[in-house]
């Protein structure tokens, strides 16, 4: 009677181990590392394969190999997807997927699970329904989104995008206003001067307006009348300022978000150094925080030295006060020094 | 004798209710909400209709329907305009429109009232005076400006534009200087090399100069001489820095304005939390302020948690001090919120 | 014997008055105002005249009038230049021009005096030496620089340019590096593929490289080989980041400079309000400082209210504390309110 | 027996002096100055020579002179390289090159030493192996990197690049995602509409996509179908925001890095002024720090005056308190300096 229990328990341990490997962020575990390397490599190779397969000569010569690789990829990504659904209940970072059925369904609705599903779905759909082969091939590129799991900075980028969504949206609305008005004016002014029909309707004119306002300026459609040229010049000047605005707002938001993260690490470092030295445990905690917040190591080093110095603590390397050292000594070294981004605490 | 008074009073109540619906920003009132939805929908449909009507084939097939929709729109917007003028005296946010005649005239001169008038005026003018039909149609696009009423972020954008007007103006003046000088030099250098007449006068050359300096670069007019190419290269390098300057100044100004608003909310939160907890009334006040200042809810949440933490207050959810939690435990998470731009207050 | 003295003294008074009018920044003096308006108008009309004169048909029809206007302009600007040199010794803001000969020579070497000289010199040179008429006409555009005298913001712009010169220079040096290397590579890769000779030498290739790196992208010269296209794509990606860098640095520097000025005004306001109220004298001093530092009035109003509030002073308009008012009351008014760029202190 | 020692000691002294000249940044030493001037001049002339030599007519007429100059350059740069390797053991700023063999090998692997080697290597390789002459000539342009030694600001630029590498990398990854997806969609939509083959494969389409997304927009490849034009418009709008993001992040990072350096100098100045005056030694130390950190002198002057003022110290020139002066008197001026980016310390 205990056997099935033991068996279940063995399966359970396997499931737990699988969840550890699939969902962990612990870079120390060798199996997590191996899994991550394989997955990243598979996605990268898939993207390269799709791009190469689109070249007619390569498809003719290497088609069979590319097809075999696609089969292999589908198998690997399918197994990965099934394992993720299966082990989601043991996800160590999330308790709301605990329930066997509901929890798994809930997990299947998370953005990353949907991305994983879309990586394999087109293949199985292609088996059932006849789909344009070229389109099907390109759909494989969706697999690239599986990499978002590994980019902490990209997560930050999306957070900033969401946070600044309202102001960026306002700038976009103003751009839409300018676009609609400029297109309409150009349609009235240039409408009859183009036998090609480039300004024959407002939607047609909008293509030209977007290409001009984003400063792409192909030149396949250009104003022909003097009034149209004046309108284009005014529009170019206004849009050059407005179009760069969303990017500027995003960049500022990005900087501010990074600064907030640095400040948080700084607070923690100050707290850790308050008692005069840094224990191994405190060091580990700070490193953990730094990893999770995606702060660059150079920043952390600078923050630590600055905190030490302002607290009047001696340099951990030379044992001397940091106030004494930096003003004397040699110039900033270029040769053979891995220059550090900061000038604090060169000992 | 009391009847007319009662009647007047009924009319007055109707007027007051109308003013409440038309001028209120109280999202809780269902009639205000319905009115706003109808207005936004009407404007959006109007813009789409004008754009579609400019396509010859659509106009041929659906012209009658589009005309009927235009009639309906004019009626709706006319009724709205008359109601606004009529009920302006009861505008709950403004006392200077109180006087029946003068107040209404004063109201009719406000920017939003003028926008509302321009949304219907072209139609009535078209009945009286024969106007080019195509131009008349496009004038309907002015209705899009009615939406500015609903965009708090856009209001902020215009405030920043006005606030930075002097510095942006200075950058624009420098650009104008460069434009005039570059056009004149190109006119001298390239003047005779273009049979098309693209450089035949300074105004003609200015079109080329603007298209180059804004980096649109259609390529319909390009320098032909070696000296002209050198001039173009120098001009492109200088202008690429100067042209991006106004956008950069605006983006900085925008960020600073948002920061000031966040600071104001922060001050208020600190004040509310000074006594150790947050009453329902204080919460309502802060929400009101947040709504009026157009600060994003994510920011507010972060500010509140940061304030709590620095005041040494316990987390309202877990009852623990916020200083203990964040360095241990799982990935970054905000109080039951999927993810946010900040990392404060991980529970 | 006293007569010449009186006469001299009369002349001296005239000179002093002239200096007051020409060099003053006192906008209250009606003669200074009139002189400024005439000068700005003359310069603007001169620029318009030169631009119009470059159009052949306008020159044919209106040449005589334009010539007469040019004569008038030369007379006015010559008189202005002579008066400036003559009265420089009485310049109220500068003591180093006091000496009759040396002081005047020193004054003649200041940037603004040189600009004033260059506004008239071409005309007199044209009388002596035969110069290309077209070139001479365009030289008149230099008069536009006389306006720099009136733009405080532009002065700030040039100060920021000078202050950030080293970092902008470094970014420019990196761009030069990329330009030289990209041009050389393109010359090797594309050199033989273009019968037009667009890539026949490194200098020729540099024109294409600058047009590409600044994202102008005329399209008159495009890569023809696959390797050339790859090189162009890489170059476009790198340069799009590097080219925007100088503008970004300048914009940041600009914002910082404006902030420093606001801070200085804020310091002064805090100082003035330290005793609880604002005397007329203090108000005048702050207005003077604001004028000299070119800070926008909206900023000043915000600073004053913020200072008042943080000092616990009552609002000068309503007599109530600013802490009480803002959280209650109505939403942000749009209709009929000259919105103020800030939300502090709406009473 | 002592002779060789003396001889060695003489050689050693020569080596030490060579190291001083080659590695020093002491601008006071006349020989260091001369060496620097010669080196910068040689590099600049080499770049000009390579560029000129690529022009067929110049190569025909001046080929012999250009060849002679190349010989001279190789000799000079070879001697320089040998001297650097030889004297590296006496590098005054670095102790890890002390060992005669290992230290020199370690030195030879530093970035600057590799740049120095690449400046001469192509010439010697060309003697041994037959290489394309044109390619060999262009390789000489690598000598331009020898100038990086002299640009402190450029070092800062690279530090900022490295520091922001992760966030810039994330933005680049998002751009890569957009590029791959946009190229694939355009390949599907436009693939068959272009006989020229511009959209015949994804790699071919990528050239068009990069040229569009960076807003270069040559116009040599443009979408032909309505769907393709819609795709292009959407892509242009998205990319115009994303492409400017890395530059914005870099610019912000740059400003922050400069600010940190200014803060460090400010700390030092405050420290030096803590005792009420500035000794010659303190002045020298600050100047040294300013030189090493590459802070602009205008900033330093402003910082010093601000520190003095906030410390209540009198102006060193007029002896008056700085709080009294600035609100009265004439236009803004800095201590005998024509104009500056700050307004502190008007006397």
């Amino acid at each position: 009677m205990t056997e099935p229990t033991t068996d279940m328990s063995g399966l359970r341990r396997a499931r737990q181990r699988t969840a550890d490997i699939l969902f962990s962020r612990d870079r120390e575990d060798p199996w997590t590392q191996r899994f991550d390397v394989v997955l990243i490599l598979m996605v990268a190779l898939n993207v390269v394969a799709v791009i190469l397969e689109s070249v007619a000569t390569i498809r003719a010569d290497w088609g069979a190999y590319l097809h075999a690789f696609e089969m292999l990829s589908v198998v690997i990504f399918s197994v990965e997807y099934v394992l993720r659904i299966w082990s989601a209940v043991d996800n160590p970072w999330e308790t709301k997927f605990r329930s066997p059925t509901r929890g798994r369904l809930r997990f299947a609705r998370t953005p990353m699970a949907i991305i994983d599903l879309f990586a394999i779905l087109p293949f199985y759909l292609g088996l059932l329904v006849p789909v344009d082969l070229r389109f099907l091939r390109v759909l494989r590129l969706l697999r690239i989104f599986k990499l978002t799991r590994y980019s902490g900075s990209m997560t930050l980028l999306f957070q900033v995008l969401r946070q600044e969504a309202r102001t960026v949206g306002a700038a976009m609305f103003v751009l839409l206003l300018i676009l609609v008005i400029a297109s309409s004016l150009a349609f009235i002014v240039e409408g009859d001067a183009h036998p090609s029909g480039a300004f024959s309707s407002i939607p047609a004119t909008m293509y030209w307006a977007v290409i001009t306002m984003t400063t792409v300026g192909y030149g396949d459609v250009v104003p022909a009348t003097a009034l149209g040229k004046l309108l284009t010049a005014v529009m170019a000047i206004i849009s050059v300022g407005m179009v760069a605005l969303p990017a500027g707002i995003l960049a500022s938001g990005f900087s501010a978000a990074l600064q907030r993260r640095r400040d948080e690490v700084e607070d923690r470092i100050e707290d850790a150094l308050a008692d005069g030295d840094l224990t191994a445990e405190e060091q580990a905690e700070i490193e953990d925080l730094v990893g999770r917040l995606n702060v660059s190591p150079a920043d952390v080093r600078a923050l630590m030295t600055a905190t030490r110095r302002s607290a009047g603590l001696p340099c951990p390397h030379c044992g001397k006060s940091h106030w004494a050292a930096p003003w004397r000594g040699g110039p900033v070294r270029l040769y053979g020094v891995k220059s550090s981004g900061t000038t604090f605490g060169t000992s």
Side-chain angles (χ1 to χ4, degrees), chain A:
Chain A
M1 287 292 276
T2 48
E3 250 196 295
T5 318
T6 318
D7 192 54
M8 277 301 285
S9 157
L11 197 67
R12 202 175 180 173
R13 250 180 289 122
R15 202 177 64 190
Q16 214 148 10
R17 184 77 187 106
T18 308
D20 272 359
I21 292 170
L22 291 177
F23 301 107
S24 169
R25 305 186 176 191
D26 182 0
R27 305 277 157 113
E28 310 272 301
D29 181 340
W31 280 102
T32 301
Q33 274 189 359
R34 277 165 217 166
F35 170 76
D36 286 358
V37 167
V38 168
L39 200 74
I40 291 170
L41 212 72
M42 281 304 293
V43 170
L45 286 174
N46 261 276
V47 170
V48 171
V50 171
I51 289 173
L52 289 180
E53 206 172 354
S54 74
V55 183
T57 53
I58 294 178
R59 195 167 56 245
D61 294 354
W62 302 88
Y65 297 94
L66 290 168
H67 186 73
F69 178 69
E70 167 62 9
M71 291 300 111
L72 177 70
S73 304
V74 168
V75 168
I76 291 178
F77 291 145
S78 299
V79 168
E80 184 214 347
Y81 183 70
V82 169
L83 287 179
R84 276 194 197 274
I85 295 284
W86 175 58
S87 67
V89 291
D90 289 323
N91 187 331
W93 311 120
E94 200 57 70
T95 54
K96 61 181 176 180
F97 306 142
R98 284 287 127 90
S99 143
T101 314
R102 278 209 174 178
R104 282 187 175 117
L105 277 175
R106 186 178 274 180
F107 170 75
R109 285 201 307 272
T110 60
M112 283 313 299
I114 290 169
I115 286 171
D116 288 336
L117 181 62
F118 269 74
I120 47 170
L121 201 66
F123 175 80
Y124 295 111
L125 280 180
L127 294 182
L128 300 173
V129 197
V131 197
D132 178 56
L133 202 67
R134 193 193 263 181
F135 186 66
L136 207 66
R137 267 192 218 114
V138 166
L139 272 183
R140 281 189 233 149
L141 284 174
L142 291 175
R143 290 170 189 164
I144 207 174
F145 284 105
K146 287 173 82 93
L147 294 182
T148 56
R149 183 176 284 126
Y150 296 102
S151 174
S153 297
M154 214 174 75
T155 312
L156 176 61
L157 198 72
F158 283 122
Q159 281 172 5
V160 171
L161 261 171
R162 195 167 25 210
Q163 203 185 337
E164 303 286 339
R166 299 220 292 185
T167 45
V168 169
M172 285 284 179
F173 178 62
V174 173
L175 279 175
L176 188 76
L177 269 181
I178 299 173
L179 175 67
V180 167
I181 289 159
S183 300
S184 308
L185 290 177
F187 163 64
I188 294 175
V189 169
E190 290 279 322
D192 302 322
H194 294 261
S196 69
F199 292 91
S200 65
S201 68
I202 294 180
T205 310
M206 275 179 164
Y207 166 70
W208 161 83
V210 168
I211 295 303
T212 301
M213 282 174 64
T214 56
T215 77
V216 171
Y218 284 139
D220 54 344
V221 187
V222 292
T225 66
L227 201 57
K229 285 179 180 179
L230 180 64
L231 173 69
T232 307
V234 171
M235 197 175 124
I237 290 169
I238 292 174
S239 62
V240 95
M242 294 307 299
V243 158
L245 206 48
I249 294 169
L250 283 181
S252 291
F254 215 81
S255 298
L258 286 173
Q259 196 49 53
R260 273 200 297 271
R261 294 180 164 218
R262 281 178 196 140
D263 288 351
E264 191 173 0
V265 173
E266 194 173 15
D267 280 356
R268 180 61 191 131
I269 291 171
E270 262 168 27
D271 193 55
L273 288 176
D275 54 358
D277 75 349
L278 192 70
T279 65
E281 196 199 355
E282 283 169 338
Q283 178 100 37
E285 277 177 9
I286 289 167
E287 269 166 24
D288 181 52
L289 183 73
V290 164
R292 286 192 289 117
L293 294 188
N294 210 29
V295 175
S296 88
D299 280 352
V300 176
R301 243 175 296 127
L303 289 172
M304 295 205 68
T305 324
T307 307
R308 276 188 173 280
R309 195 180 63 178
S310 67
L313 295 171
C315 168
H317 301 275
C318 58
K320 272 185 279 186
S321 159
H322 269 280
W323 268 108
W327 321 109
R328 280 157 202 120
V332 173
R333 284 156 293 170
L334 236 167
Y335 271 90
V337 174
K338 297 192 205 98
S339 62
S340 74
T342 57
T343 52
F344 298 114
T346 50
S347 59

